[in-house]
Amino acid sequence: MSPPGNIFPETMLRTVSSSASPFFRFFPRSYSSLSPSTAALRGPGRSLRRASSPSSAERRVFLRRGLGVPSAAGRGVNRQFSRLSVRAVATQPAPSYPDVGQDEAEKLGFEKVSEEFISECKSKATLFKHKKTGCEVMSVSNEDENKVFGIVLRTPPKDSTGIPHILEHSVLCGSRKYPLKEPFVELLKGSLHTFLNAFTYPDRTCYPVASTNTKDFYNLVDVYLDAVFFPKCVDDVHTFQQEGWHYELNDPAEDISYKGVVFNEMKGVYSQPDNILGRVAQQAISPDNTYGVDSGGDPKDIPKLTFEEFKDFHRKYYHPSNARIWFYGDDDPLQRLRILSEYLDLFEASPSRDTSKIEPQKLFSAPIRIVEKYPAGRDGDLKKKNMVCINWLLSEKPLDLETQLALGFMDHLMLGTPASPLRKILLESGLGEALVSSGMSDELLQPQFSVGMKGVSEDNVQKVEELIMSTLKKLAEEGFESDAVEASMNTIEFSLRENNTGSFPRGLSLMLQSIAKWIYDMDPFEPLKYTEPLKALKARIAEEGSKAVFSPLIEQFILNNSHRVTIEMQPDPEKASQEEAEEKSILEKVKAGMTEEDLAELARATEELRLKQETPDPPEALRCVPSLNLSDIPKEPTYVPTEVGDINGVKVLRHDLFTNDIVYAEVVFDMGSLKHELLPLVPLFCQSLMEMGTKDLSFVQLNQMIGRKTGGISVYPLTSSVRGKDEPCSKIIVRGKSMAGRAEDLFNLMNCLLQEVQFSDQQRFKQFVSQSIARMENRLRGSGHGVAAARMDAMLNIAGWMSEQMGGLSYLEFLRTLEKKVDEDWEGISSSLEEIRRSLLAKNGCIVNMTADGKSLTNIEKSLEKFLDLLPESPSGGLVTWDGRLPLRNEAIVIPTQVNYVGKAGNIYSTGYELDGSAYVISKHISNTWLWDRVRVSGGAYGGFCDFDSHSGVFSFLSYRDPNLLKTLDIYDGTGDFLRGLDMDQETLTKAIIGTIGDVDSYQLPDAKGYSSLMRHLLGVTDEERQRKREEILTTSLKDFKDFAEAIDVVRDKGVAVAVASAEDIDAANNARSNFFEIKKAL
């Protein structure tokens, strides 16, 4: 999940990416991406398996910063493809908003600094300043019910001990008003939040929350304010040890080890080559200011941090004088100031605002080059695993908004789509497998631009550098094609109009745009007002031509810019074991320097910390955290208006919703006639549709036409079990959107992609395979829990097997074989791609789903009818029976890593268990209590959680960046006993129920509502069943928890375990439990 900057979120797979991505706190949720579109369908279980083609992700355009949503929150950001992210809030126009007069503000201790109506987001924004402390507050009022609060502090570190990151974790572990172990987790359990997180950038820390329920929203705000300003952690060394680092010794005769949540999180980060490259680049490009160190923490440096330094950092920077506070939504703006004044009035002014200022990096007078090593496996040709990346710091001083917009536009033109020239030329060169760390990033004080490749052989490193520079020079000399410029402009303008931030609250995306200037003492309003700069840029392009606009930018900021850093990363199969050996040697010296009394004391302290971690808070402490009542919860689910009709024999679902004149369409084809052996080719078939040309159009022309006429099209497979049926649901979904007046173009282009694209470009297909291999290898290192989950699913049900063939370890093995086959039998592969098309495309079994307002739905029927008329009547070949599964066994997948991903799963329906809504409450409670406390808090893993797929019956346990292996499996096996021994009062139960309803009722934008309705239709989930499950959730009892223990014991007794881990840890596990795992080498 990631906004920008080395950002460390506090949850939701607190994933980390490149140098400009934040660290998030880990929320114990489903291992696969929980899209808003499926959340309402599945409850807290797992989302549908979607193996999306790269094109679907890459086609989303974001204009980085000056106007942009970071590629944000909760999702790992890969800077491989820069994004244009121009986002606005498309709430309905409102005639007026509540006003806070100067007198009212004065009474509460604030002065009104400025006020503007921001037409781009249809909001009235007021900047207040707290007179006593100087704290600035942006209060944004509109009709968006998804209210957002955020408090942001400048937190520049001076070293790589990870102090801002550890503090971000720690302040949420109890506070003055909420003196329990983790109020944050209590909010996870019993809130209706639509966003709850925290993240650490290289120079700032953000604490945002969001909710559509006003009472719930103010509860969240109060807990966060108290946590930030009055945390218990500054007086509690145990929290510092738990979240940061400590020596662990269970017995004086054993070895000492390091433990700590952030310590293990960062070990995971430093196991991923792309992340290492991003960190090296950031620190090399800004060596003289705070960006020259790692705010997240280097595992080698984290153990140097002392508790005194930790406390002092909070005292220095966690003060209202150093804070910027954001409110957004439809709540009362006066009430916002009342809440804040209660906190801010307790403080005097502090110099922290001055001491936290970020000094700009002075530009270099000459380029530099750095060579570093990264940990690699021993398999494969290591000479072809180099990475090279060229990075520029673009400016010493802040850029004006129009220049930023133009640079973002240029970035998109060069790299933003598969047809973009810099990206296309690099990938078609065959010099590397994929782009890495490429694009513009302007979330920090000074913008930077990077472009690089991975999977480069030793002798091609220099050639990649030369090709990057020569291509940039050529683009400066020749400019961009007019069709490319038009396509980019349409994409930007469509994105602005749609303002689709997915499950990420719109108010939070605006906050992150604003804060990117505000945090550096610049105008917080400016980043929200893009209309005039965009109009001016369009006018300049129209008058002077695009070459006159973009060529000087390429020359000034890139070609003639001496602040250039080239990073070469070389694979080193010894590096991981060397680092482990170094750590072991340090710990051996620590132990050797201890007396017997010291060792006994350390063992006692280890046990004392563990006991504290595993002792639940008393009921009276839990009661202090504000929560809702069941009476605050709607008794019925949210219903999406759905009309089921028929056009030319094809079922059509229509959803009449306000979409700001945009049409969303999904065309669904059945995979029931696809031959088994063709299944692994399906993701590449989807990519080929999007990225190969037709008889009359090159893929570049086709890509540009999609950009000019639509808001984007994607094609991807989707599989899921269907409860009560043996046959899985297996579909190909073609998804597109356009302005209502362009619907005919949308369906014409869909038809063109599906029926006219030719599978004839052997070299492009070979690129697709190389890119897919690089992407899968990166997934193994960074999302091993997802790989383990897919593997277990493939052993336990047919849909899981299908999905794993298209996106798991089996798929990676298929790709490696296919890479050789492309040269040997291209004709056969091309023929197979055509066969897939014939077996899928047909009216028979097709379903169309459309979301728009009623008038638009009526107007586009003729275009849809014409599209359907062009489809073949039936697919070629007969129906195929799907019955594949992987053999049941405990499996260890070996990769070079310092942390593990540990899973165990079983099918609870095999015990005769019948689905009850209480299962959603129970699985969420297990994640938020038993697994959070044992796997994360005392075990030291970055995350531990469970997932229940109510469609298949598979119940999975998973851990993320985990220092343990067998110990974690033992915790999973103890879950049944945990449930049997559970003692829960009514308040705790109510919180668990409310938190579950929050998941089920997750906030959705109109396109997601329509898509969710489609998913329910495909899986046979009726509104009656949804109502029944909701009633079962709301009436969950302690008895349900106890009864569920019997069902969950099947995971212990008959489940399969899969771990993605290092060779050393797997060997140790197999020695401790004779050949427990069958070993499979992956990297």
Side-chain angles (χ1 to χ4, degrees):
M1 225 176 166
S2 347
N6 275 348
I7 308 163
F8 297 75
E10 253 300 305
T11 78
M12 192 73 199
L13 282 203
R14 267 166 146 175
T15 50
V16 178
S17 75
S18 69
S19 64
S21 62
F23 289 80
F24 292 79
R25 187 174 180 85
F26 186 100
F27 276 141
R29 296 244 181 142
S30 165
Y31 65 83
S32 55
S33 59
L34 171 54
S35 70
S37 15
T38 56
L41 157 75
R42 69 182 192 86
R46 118 162 78 243
S47 59
L48 301 181
R49 303 174 188 86
R50 165 181 162 172
S52 73
S53 65
S55 50
S56 67
E58 291 157 18
R59 187 159 256 100
R60 298 185 198 109
V61 181
F62 304 119
L63 229 163
R64 281 274 198 202
R65 238 357 140 218
L67 299 174
V69 177
S71 9
R75 295 173 219 134
V77 175
N78 188 334
R79 281 177 56 222
Q80 173 175 340
F81 306 116
S82 174
R83 301 288 185 255
L84 259 156
S85 61
V86 194
R87 296 288 198 237
V89 176
T91 48
Q92 302 253 358
S96 64
Y97 298 102
D99 189 32
V100 178
Q102 188 68 270
D103 289 345
E104 291 174 301
E106 293 268 354
K107 282 177 192 171
L108 293 168
F110 293 89
E111 63 176 298
K112 190 186 282 192
V113 178
S114 57
E115 185 170 273
E116 295 188 37
F117 184 79
I118 312 286
S119 59
E120 288 84 347
C121 56
K122 299 183 176 68
S123 304
K124 184 166 75 175
T126 309
L127 179 64
F128 294 99
K129 187 171 187 176
H130 186 246
K131 290 191 288 186
K132 195 175 171 188
T133 62
C135 177
E136 291 180 346
V137 179
M138 271 286 273
S139 182
V140 182
S141 294
N142 51 43
E143 289 192 341
D144 193 342
E145 65 171 343
N146 200 8
K147 292 164 275 293
V148 173
F149 163 83
I151 180 164
V152 184
L153 306 123
R154 269 200 308 242
T155 51
K158 289 186 167 57
D159 56 38
S160 294
T161 56
I163 190 166
H165 187 191
I166 296 169
L167 195 52
E168 172 235 306
H169 279 236
S170 301
V171 300
L172 296 168
C173 296
S175 64
R176 175 195 61 171
K177 284 171 71 174
Y178 308 109
L180 57 161
K181 286 196 299 183
E182 295 197 79
F184 178 79
V185 180
E186 293 309 307
L187 294 176
L188 276 181
K189 293 176 189 173
S191 162
L192 295 177
H193 61 270
T194 55
F195 192 88
L196 182 71
N197 217 320
F199 22 90
T200 305
Y201 288 69
D203 59 8
R204 59 193 181 267
T205 308
C206 302
Y207 294 91
V209 295
S211 179
T212 55
N213 181 291
T214 305
K215 181 181 173 184
D216 187 51
F217 177 61
Y218 288 141
N219 288 346
L220 296 170
V221 170
D222 196 59
V223 172
Y224 263 48
L225 281 169
D226 206 62
V228 166
F229 292 129
F230 301 104
K232 285 197 325 178
C233 65
V234 293
D235 299 312
D236 181 10
V237 71
H238 285 138
T239 299
F240 168 74
Q241 292 171 339
Q242 170 184 297
E243 298 299 323
W245 77 276
H246 64 277
Y247 294 123
E248 182 165 286
L249 182 66
N250 295 309
D251 184 300
E254 295 176 359
D255 293 334
I256 295 175
S257 62
Y258 288 126
K259 279 289 172 68
V261 174
V262 168
F263 178 77
N264 282 305
E265 176 186 349
M266 297 314 297
K267 273 198 157 190
V269 171
Y270 278 79
S271 294
Q272 293 175 253
D274 291 20
N275 286 337
I276 298 168
L277 170 62
R279 280 176 163 63
V280 170
Q282 181 194 290
Q283 291 170 34
I285 209 166
S286 298
D288 304 322
N289 63 9
T290 194
Y291 307 135
V293 299
D294 191 343
S295 67
D298 184 327
K300 289 184 180 135
D301 293 326
I302 289 171
K304 297 172 187 172
L305 179 63
T306 69
F307 185 48
E308 290 306 315
E309 290 168 327
F310 171 81
K311 290 195 295 185
D312 190 56
F313 195 88
H314 182 275
R315 181 192 57 75
K316 201 169 179 181
Y317 296 126
Y318 277 60
H319 189 283
S321 299
N322 187 42
R324 279 88 175 156
I325 294 175
W326 172 277
F327 271 101
Y328 164 99
D330 64 358
D331 60 311
D332 179 1
L334 189 59
Q335 181 61 15
R336 298 169 177 176
L337 297 187
R338 287 192 197 104
I339 291 168
L340 291 179
S341 66
E342 287 183 20
Y343 280 91
L344 304 184
D345 288 349
L346 298 172
F347 292 85
E348 301 298 328
S350 150
S352 56
R353 190 181 183 95
D354 297 321
T355 57
S356 68
K357 279 191 175 168
I358 314 300
E359 293 300 321
Q361 168 68 47
K362 287 189 166 33
L363 297 186
F364 298 164
S365 56
I368 63 169
R369 181 184 180 84
I370 291 172
V371 179
E372 287 277 351
K373 307 275 189 186
Y374 74 86
R378 297 179 184 280
D379 292 352
D381 187 353
L382 290 182
K383 289 182 180 177
K384 293 183 179 177
K385 290 294 181 184
N386 288 51
M387 297 193 283
V388 60
C389 184
I390 308 179
N391 309 269
W392 289 265
L393 195 65
L394 302 186
S395 167
E396 205 165 294
K397 293 180 179 173
L399 301 173
D400 63 84
L401 196 55
E402 191 178 326
T403 304
Q404 269 191 278
L405 180 58
L407 283 168
F409 201 132
M410 178 193 78
D411 174 41
H412 181 249
L413 281 166
M414 291 197 294
L415 289 162
T417 75
S420 299
L422 181 55
R423 177 169 159 191
K424 178 174 178 287
I425 286 165
L426 286 172
L427 291 174
E428 287 183 351
S429 70
L431 296 173
E433 293 175 347
L435 296 190
V436 66
S437 288
S438 296
M440 193 177 112
S441 172
D442 55 359
E443 299 96 351
L444 303 180
L445 180 62
Q446 293 161 276
Q448 68 183 65
F449 178 78
S450 307
V451 60
M453 295 197 83
K454 60 182 173 180
V456 179
S457 65
E458 280 178 9
D459 48 0
N460 282 338
V461 168
Q462 189 68 37
K463 292 176 187 171
V464 170
E465 294 175 47
E466 289 167 359
L467 183 59
I468 289 170
M469 298 305 292
S470 63
T471 304
L472 288 166
K473 191 176 177 191
K474 187 179 177 187
L475 287 171
E477 289 168 355
E478 299 177 6
F480 298 96
E481 294 177 16
S482 58
D483 280 355
V485 175
E486 186 189 338
S488 274
M489 186 58 77
N490 179 69
T491 304
I492 292 164
E493 293 189 309
F494 186 95
S495 177
L496 285 167
R497 181 176 190 112
E498 183 189 27
N499 181 34
N500 193 332
T501 56
S503 59
F504 195 62
R506 284 168 164 164
L508 182 49
S509 85
L510 286 173
M511 180 189 106
L512 294 175
Q513 290 170 47
S514 178
I515 205 73
K517 294 291 185 188
W518 192 15
I519 200 73
Y520 305 117
D521 302 315
M522 290 184 265
D523 182 1
F525 294 91
E526 186 194 64
L528 309 178
K529 300 185 292 185
Y530 54 79
T531 303
E532 290 307 315
L534 185 60
K535 198 184 289 181
L537 179 62
K538 283 181 75 174
R540 274 191 66 204
I541 291 171
E543 288 165 23
E544 303 170 27
S546 64
K547 186 172 184 293
V549 173
F550 297 115
S551 293
L553 294 177
I554 298 173
E555 288 167 359
Q556 177 189 344
F557 290 105
I558 300 176
L559 294 175
N560 301 331
N561 180 356
S562 59
H563 195 110
R564 184 174 84 229
V565 178
T566 302
I567 311 285
E568 181 185 347
M569 301 291 293
Q570 299 172 346
D572 182 355
E574 308 298 331
K575 187 172 174 66
S577 55
Q578 281 171 0
E579 288 175 346
E580 288 293 329
E582 284 169 18
E583 182 182 300
K584 191 176 178 185
S585 173
I586 290 168
L587 290 168
E588 283 172 352
K589 285 176 186 171
V590 168
K591 187 174 182 183
M594 287 184 168
T595 63
E596 284 187 21
E597 291 77 15
D598 293 335
L599 292 171
E601 173 56 25
L602 180 56
R604 188 204 62 75
T606 299
E607 182 56 30
E608 181 186 348
L609 176 61
R610 183 181 297 113
L611 192 63
K612 183 174 178 180
Q613 290 168 331
E614 295 179 359
T615 302
D617 287 303
E620 59 272 15
L622 293 172
R623 284 190 201 105
C624 72
V625 178
S627 62
L628 300 176
N629 302 311
L630 285 180
S631 57
D632 297 315
I633 305 301
K635 296 294 180 280
E636 294 186 354
T638 304
Y639 293 109
V640 178
T642 304
E643 179 190 323
V644 182
D646 182 284
I647 294 180
N648 296 355
V650 172
K651 186 181 286 186
V652 179
L653 279 59
R654 297 177 183 83
H655 311 289
D656 181 354
L657 294 166
F658 174 77
T659 58
N660 216 9
D661 204 32
I662 292 170
V663 168
Y664 298 97
E666 288 86 26
V667 183
V668 183
F669 297 102
D670 192 65
M671 286 168 60
S673 299
L674 187 72
K675 290 180 183 172
H676 286 198
E677 62 269 22
L678 297 178
L679 185 63
L681 261 181
V682 166
L684 290 163
F685 164 79
C686 293
Q687 186 173 1
S688 298
L689 289 180
M690 297 301 306
E691 295 185 41
M692 285 196 185
T694 69
K695 184 162 68 74
D696 302 316
L697 294 169
S698 70
F699 104 85
V700 171
Q701 291 170 317
L702 185 55
N703 196 278
Q704 289 171 352
M705 194 178 291
I706 290 169
R708 287 186 353 246
K709 297 187 174 184
T710 76
I713 299 173
S714 58
V715 188
Y716 54 88
L718 180 140
T719 63
S720 174
S721 297
V722 180
R723 192 160 50 86
K725 293 187 178 180
D726 293 330
E727 277 294 301
C729 168
S730 54
K731 307 290 181 184
I732 293 287
I733 297 183
V734 184
R735 196 173 189 194
K737 55 190 175 184
S738 71
M739 301 309 299
R742 291 274 201 173
E744 185 174 1
D745 290 328
L746 176 65
F747 286 114
N748 286 343
L749 282 163
M750 280 185 173
N751 180 69
C752 179
L753 290 170
L754 290 168
Q755 306 219 53
E756 296 176 28
V757 164
Q758 297 184 327
F759 304 120
S760 55
D761 194 332
Q762 181 179 357
Q763 286 312 113
R764 276 200 66 69
F765 188 82
K766 195 169 182 180
Q767 285 170 40
F768 300 163
V769 176
S770 296
Q771 290 164 31
S772 299
I773 289 171
R775 198 161 38 244
M776 282 302 305
E777 289 180 347
N778 200 46
R779 186 171 177 237
L780 264 170
R781 284 186 165 102
S783 302
H785 59 301
V787 174
R791 200 80 181 160
M792 294 185 299
D793 266 357
M795 298 176 193
L796 294 167
N797 67 85
I798 298 164
W801 175 82
M802 293 178 73
S803 177
E804 210 267 343
Q805 293 290 309
M806 296 186 286
L809 185 59
S810 297
Y811 182 53
L812 176 58
E813 292 169 343
F814 167 79
L815 289 169
R816 286 170 172 164
T817 305
L818 184 66
E819 192 172 32
K820 301 185 184 81
K821 198 177 170 186
V822 176
D823 292 325
E824 298 163 4
D825 184 23
W826 168 241
E827 197 175 309
I829 292 168
S830 178
S831 170
S832 293
L833 293 170
E834 280 294 352
E835 190 177 347
I836 293 174
R837 171 153 53 193
R838 289 194 302 272
S839 68
L840 292 174
L841 289 197
K843 280 190 212 172
N844 189 4
C846 177
I847 295 173
V848 177
N849 189 62
M850 294 194 299
T851 307
D853 62 77
K855 183 182 174 187
S856 297
L857 289 172
T858 302
N859 291 343
I860 62 181
E861 277 195 12
K862 282 186 181 172
S863 303
L864 176 58
E865 196 171 333
K866 181 181 165 191
F867 168 81
L868 294 173
D869 277 343
L870 294 170
L871 290 175
E873 201 64 39
S874 300
S876 66
L879 281 176
V880 172
T881 301
W882 295 99
D883 56 3
R885 294 186 195 209
L886 292 178
L888 289 167
R889 63 183 194 178
N890 296 331
E891 194 170 70
I893 299 165
V894 181
I895 65 168
T897 180
Q898 298 180 59
V899 290
N900 305 321
Y901 304 89
V902 185
K904 190 167 186 180
N907 192 322
I908 66 172
Y909 288 167
S910 66
T911 65
Y913 174 79
E914 292 190 10
L915 177 63
D916 186 273
S918 61
Y920 301 131
V921 182
I922 297 162
S923 59
K924 183 179 175 71
H925 188 76
I926 292 168
S927 285
N928 286 341
T929 55
W930 174 246
L931 298 178
W932 180 280
D933 290 340
R934 299 302 170 111
V935 176
R936 183 189 185 279
V937 174
S938 63
Y942 187 22
F945 50 103
C946 63
D947 183 80
F948 175 43
D949 180 353
S950 59
H951 305 294
S952 69
V954 172
F955 196 100
S956 310
F957 294 99
L958 293 157
S959 71
Y960 184 76
R961 292 183 181 161
D962 189 346
N964 306 304
L965 209 167
L966 293 179
K967 180 182 171 185
T968 298
L969 290 173
D970 289 342
I971 291 166
Y972 299 160
D973 287 348
T975 305
D977 289 339
F978 161 72
L979 291 176
R980 276 183 279 269
L982 194 61
D983 187 16
M984 184 188 294
D985 61 24
Q986 191 56 46
E987 285 182 46
T988 305
L989 180 58
T990 298
K991 276 186 186 176
I993 291 168
I994 290 170
T996 304
I997 291 290
D999 287 349
V1000 173
D1001 290 352
S1002 60
Y1003 185 74
Q1004 294 186 308
L1005 297 175
D1007 65 313
K1009 289 178 180 176
Y1011 191 76
S1012 286
S1013 187
L1014 168 66
M1015 293 299 107
R1016 286 193 284 266
H1017 180 86
L1018 293 175
L1019 300 181
V1021 179
T1022 64
D1023 284 341
E1024 291 75 20
E1025 182 181 341
R1026 291 175 68 212
Q1027 179 62 47
R1028 188 169 66 252
K1029 291 290 168 282
R1030 189 181 192 86
E1031 289 165 5
E1032 290 166 354
I1033 289 170
L1034 290 169
T1035 56
T1036 298
S1037 68
L1038 181 58
K1039 183 178 182 299
D1040 293 319
F1041 280 76
K1042 308 270 187 183
D1043 292 347
F1044 195 73
E1046 303 307 313
I1048 214 171
D1049 280 345
V1050 76
V1051 182
R1052 179 194 64 197
D1053 300 335
K1054 297 181 180 178
V1056 289
V1058 175
V1060 178
S1062 66
E1064 294 80 5
D1065 282 3
I1066 292 164
D1067 287 345
N1070 275 345
N1071 287 333
R1073 292 182 193 170
S1074 183
N1075 299 320
F1076 182 79
F1077 288 112
E1078 291 195 32
I1079 296 174
K1080 201 167 181 63
K1081 282 197 172 179
L1083 294 175

